[in-house]
Every structure is written in C-alpha cells, then in structure tokens.
C-alpha cells in the first residue's frame, strides 16, 4: 500500500464501511448500516479530520455513489470511483464490463496484486449479501458466479413459503438438522460450501497452481466447513482499491 493516507469507502448492500489506509497499516475503520442515512454525515466528518489527500470509492449502490463522491470532494479529498471504465492494472475479460460490480473489480485486483506471485490462478470468494466467486488467471479477470448470501437464502425461504420461520443468525447448523431452523442453516452452508468446491474443480482443472482467497463479512461461515486450502483476507477489497488508485495515478503521469 502507499505511504500516504488514503480514504477508502466501501458502499455495500448492507453496510457502508470507511477505512483510512496509512502506508501499509490500517489507520481507522468505521462500519455503518447503509440504510441509515447518518453514515453520510459521519463520512463528511471523518473525511475532514482524516488528513487524507486521496480517496477511493467502491460502491455497488449507484444512487449513493455520486452523493458520497461529492461529500468526500467537499472535504478537500480528491477521490476516484472504481469501475471498469477507468484504467485498471488487470485486464477485464467479461461480456459486459460496465455491469461488473466495483466490489468484484477491487477484490480481483487485490488478489492479483498480493497473491499472483504464489499461484497462476486465483479464485476469490467474497461472502456478503450476495456471494461472488471469481477467477483471475494470466493477469485477466475471467468472470465467475454469483449466488445468494447466507441471509438472503434464509430470507427467501421465509418470504416464499407459508411455514418456514424467519432466519435467526444465532442458530448453528447441524447435520442432519433436528429443527427447522437448523435445517435452513445447514442448507445454506451446504449450498455455499458446495458451490465453492464445485467451482474450484471447474475453474482449476487446467491450472498448475491455484489459490483460494476468502473475504467478506460471512467468510468465517465458509472457513469452518470448506475442504480446501485457503487464504482469508478481510481487507482484500481495501488493498485492491488502493492498488487501483496507484495504477490510475501512474497512467495519468504517463499520458
């Protein structure tokens, strides 16, 4: 990471996360429920007091992206919005790059930047509201798969059926489940872990060396059950965002 302080804003479906990156260290972290508008006021206050000169926005909520960008710019921080249309250090081999989520881009570049020296292929699993599973090989983002996250699976079962209960995140899975809630939890774990292991076989069938990188708020639920070697990196998106900013600045200097 860079030696100067950088503000990274991650706007997800459930949370807005603000990070201050200070060289190779994390100088600060704040997490807010994204649906609560107070986080924008907090963002302005944090940005003003951050001593950052640069910022990066990784957003999957388009209607909030420009609003957050304006808030950060007002504080005197020059900020970059991550997307496939800007200069990126990784080739994007994807059918519709403009529709590729900024979080998937940042994750992929973070994985490529920090782990491509130990494997020729990388599979990145980001376990959040949705779970994205992507492949990076030969300095290319090659796409992947998207499936519902743990909570979304349980929510859909509750809303789409007459008798299945609302999800309770405190219920641990049991195999076999001895109560309906345990069965739902077990099903979600089986679906996600099974998808990861299935896609690992598909993605890595033609590779010499591969690494599985796990990130996201629900990554721990996967690590407990998956039968694959993995690296867990909760700051993968942040690392990727800073790498994107570095590359963008370098490209501007070379123009």
């Amino acid at each position: 990471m860079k030696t100067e302080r950088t503000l990274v804003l991650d706007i997800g479906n459930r949370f807005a996360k603000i990070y201050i990156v200070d060289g190779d260290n994390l100088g600060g972290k704040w997490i807010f429920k994204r649906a609560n508008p107070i986080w924008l006021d907090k963002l302005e206050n944090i940005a003003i007091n951050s001593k950052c000169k640069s910022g990066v926005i990784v957003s999957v909520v388009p209607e909030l992206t420009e609003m957050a960008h304006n808030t950060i710019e007002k504080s005197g921080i020059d900020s970059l919005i991550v997307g496939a249309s800007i200069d990126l250090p990784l080739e994007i081999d994807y059918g519709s790059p403009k529709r590729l989520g900024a979080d998937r881009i940042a994750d992929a570049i973070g994985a490529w930047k920090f782990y491509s020296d130990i494997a020729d292929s990388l599979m990145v699993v980001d376990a959040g509201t949705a779970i994205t599973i992507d492949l990076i090989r030969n300095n290319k983002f090659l796409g992947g798969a998207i499936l519902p996250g743990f909570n979304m699976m349980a929510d859909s079962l509750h809303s789409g059926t007459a008798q299945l209960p609302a999800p309770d995140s405190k219920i641990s899975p049991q195999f076999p489940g001895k109560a309906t809630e345990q069965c739902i939890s077990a099903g979600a774990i089986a679906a996600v872990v099974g998808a990861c292991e299935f896609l690992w076989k598909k993605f890595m069938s033609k590779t010499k060396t591969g690494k599985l990188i796990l990130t996201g708020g629900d990554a721990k639920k996967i690590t407990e059950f998956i039968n694959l070697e993995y690296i867990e990196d909760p700051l993968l998106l942040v690392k990727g965002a800073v790498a994107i900013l570095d590359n963008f600045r370098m490209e501007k200097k070379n123009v």
Side-chain angles (χ1 to χ4, degrees):
M1 294 184 183
K2 290 191 67 62
T3 56
E4 69 177 48
R5 291 170 69 86
T6 303
L7 186 149
V8 177
L9 172 62
D10 172 16
I11 307 176
N13 290 296
R14 286 184 294 172
F15 300 102
K17 302 176 184 179
I18 305 168
Y19 302 88
I20 303 298
V21 179
D22 191 357
D24 289 332
N25 301 309
L26 188 63
K29 177 182 177 181
W30 297 262
I31 302 177
F32 304 97
K33 289 185 177 179
R34 199 267 297 166
N36 187 341
I38 195 172
W39 72 266
L40 272 169
D41 294 328
K42 297 290 186 180
L43 171 63
E44 182 175 11
N45 186 57
I46 291 167
I48 289 171
N49 293 288
S50 68
K51 298 180 181 178
C52 294
K53 295 181 179 179
S54 302
V56 193
I57 299 171
V58 181
S59 173
V60 299
V61 188
E63 62 268 25
L64 294 175
T65 306
E66 195 59 38
M67 194 181 304
H69 182 254
N70 290 337
T71 298
I72 294 173
E73 293 276 320
K74 278 197 307 181
S75 71
I77 297 175
D78 185 26
S79 58
L80 175 69
I81 299 172
V82 172
S85 61
I86 65 173
D87 289 318
L88 297 170
L90 190 67
E91 182 180 346
I92 304 295
D93 185 2
Y94 198 68
S96 50
K98 289 184 178 179
R99 298 188 64 184
L100 180 60
D103 55 342
R104 295 172 71 188
I105 294 172
D107 281 342
I109 291 173
W112 168 79
K113 176 76 173 178
F114 287 88
Y115 301 107
S116 60
D117 60 333
I118 59 174
D120 63 344
S121 296
L122 302 164
M123 191 174 94
V124 179
V125 178
D126 189 336
T129 303
I131 295 175
T132 58
I133 305 175
D134 289 313
L135 175 64
I136 300 97
R137 178 182 292 141
N138 298 328
N139 298 331
K140 286 184 180 181
F141 173 92
L142 297 174
I146 303 174
L147 58 151
F150 293 102
N151 292 338
M152 190 179 292
M153 288 187 195
D155 286 338
S156 66
L157 285 172
H158 172 60
S159 62
T161 62
Q163 296 189 44
L164 292 180
D168 183 350
S169 60
K170 296 178 182 178
I171 300 294
S172 299
Q174 185 171 320
F175 305 95
K178 297 298 185 181
T180 303
E181 292 86 350
Q182 289 177 347
C183 290
I184 292 171
S185 181
I189 291 290
V192 173
V193 172
C196 291
E197 294 183 355
F198 172 81
L199 290 169
W200 176 264
K201 291 180 181 178
K202 287 288 187 182
F203 290 171
M204 299 301 174
S205 61
K206 299 179 181 179
T207 188
K208 293 180 180 178
T209 59
K211 278 293 179 184
L212 172 61
I213 315 296
L214 299 177
T215 191
D218 286 333
K220 291 290 185 188
K221 294 181 180 179
I222 298 174
T223 62
E224 188 175 350
F225 297 98
I226 198 162
N227 291 313
L228 295 169
E229 291 186 4
Y230 62 85
I231 296 171
E232 187 178 2
D233 189 342
L235 292 177
L236 188 68
L237 181 145
V238 178
K239 293 176 179 177
V242 175
I244 290 168
L245 178 61
D246 288 346
N247 182 77
F248 183 78
R249 286 172 164 171
M250 191 179 301
E251 291 294 332
K252 283 187 70 175
K253 284 182 180 179
N254 293 335
V255 172

